Amino acid sequence: LDEKRRYETLRRLILRHHPRPRLLDAGCGGGRLGASFSSGELTSYHGVDLSSEAIAHAREYAPSGSLLEQADLEIWTPAARYDVIVVNEVMGYFHDPAFTLGRLATALEPEGILIVSLYRWGNAAAIWQRVDRQFRSSDATVVTNTAGDKTWDIRILTPFAHPRL
């Protein structure tokens, strides 16, 4: 699966909104997003994923000084604040995507942004419908791979109300 365009789009979007951000990569997988940044582009990188194998792989590729953590994002509570939170290809696994996104968004700095990337498959449209009830979407981008056979929606989301859980 060719995902290079998607990761480059995410990287550019992040840096356009926050040069040198404190970045939470929620659903970091093997660390591809973190690896797409050059030295000095991030203030900090924190990757969280449910899979211990993914975290082990991410340790090989994540930026130097990264914090990598195995956790279930549906119950995990961030202990820090971030300029950018990226929910990368995991929203479709959440039991209640809007609730989980809302919980994560409470860890954003006041000018922070929440970016969600979701592959267009099966129930992706229904997931976006649920999320759209609780979040305003801006800077929406559609990315396809180089073969043109895989498509992702990438959006910046802002909660209509910032719940403090």
Side-chain angles (χ1 to χ4, degrees):
L1 185 64
D2 174 15
E3 300 181 50
K4 184 176 180 176
R5 284 184 177 173
R6 181 172 62 89
Y7 283 107
E8 184 54 33
T9 299
L10 285 167
R11 183 185 156 279
R12 281 194 318 266
L13 190 60
I14 290 164
L15 294 176
R16 182 173 63 216
H17 286 275
H18 282 282
R20 292 196 28 94
R22 289 165 294 173
L23 174 63
L24 171 61
D25 187 0
C28 68
R32 284 180 163 178
L33 179 60
S36 72
F37 289 90
S38 299
S39 178
E41 286 186 317
L42 298 174
T43 295
S44 64
Y45 176 82
H46 184 175
V48 179
D49 200 277
L50 182 61
S51 166
S52 60
E53 289 179 22
I55 292 296
H57 192 260
R59 290 191 196 292
E60 297 178 38
Y61 299 102
S64 177
S66 295
L67 173 60
L68 297 166
E69 180 174 4
Q70 180 189 0
D72 181 342
L73 290 167
E74 290 188 280
I75 59 173
W76 177 76
T77 301
R81 307 226 6 117
Y82 303 94
D83 301 308
V84 179
I85 297 174
V86 175
V87 178
N88 197 14
E89 298 309 302
V90 295
M91 191 169 66
Y93 298 105
F94 297 155
H95 291 92
D96 186 343
F99 179 80
T100 302
L101 293 177
R103 280 183 64 257
L104 292 172
T106 64
L108 285 169
E109 290 291 355
E111 299 299 315
I113 61 170
L114 174 65
I115 302 174
V116 174
S117 170
L118 183 63
Y119 177 65
R120 284 190 184 171
W121 60 281
N123 66 344
I127 292 170
W128 282 122
Q129 285 178 339
R130 288 191 305 247
V131 168
D132 287 344
R133 287 185 214 125
Q134 295 182 38
F135 290 85
R136 179 179 52 81
S137 190
S138 65
D139 215 346
T141 304
V142 175
V143 178
T144 56
N145 65 349
T146 52
D149 61 350
K150 306 290 181 200
T151 303
W152 294 267
D153 291 295
I154 299 173
R155 299 182 188 178
I156 294 178
L157 301 178
T158 305
F160 289 129
H162 282 286
R164 296 292 170 193
L165 303 175

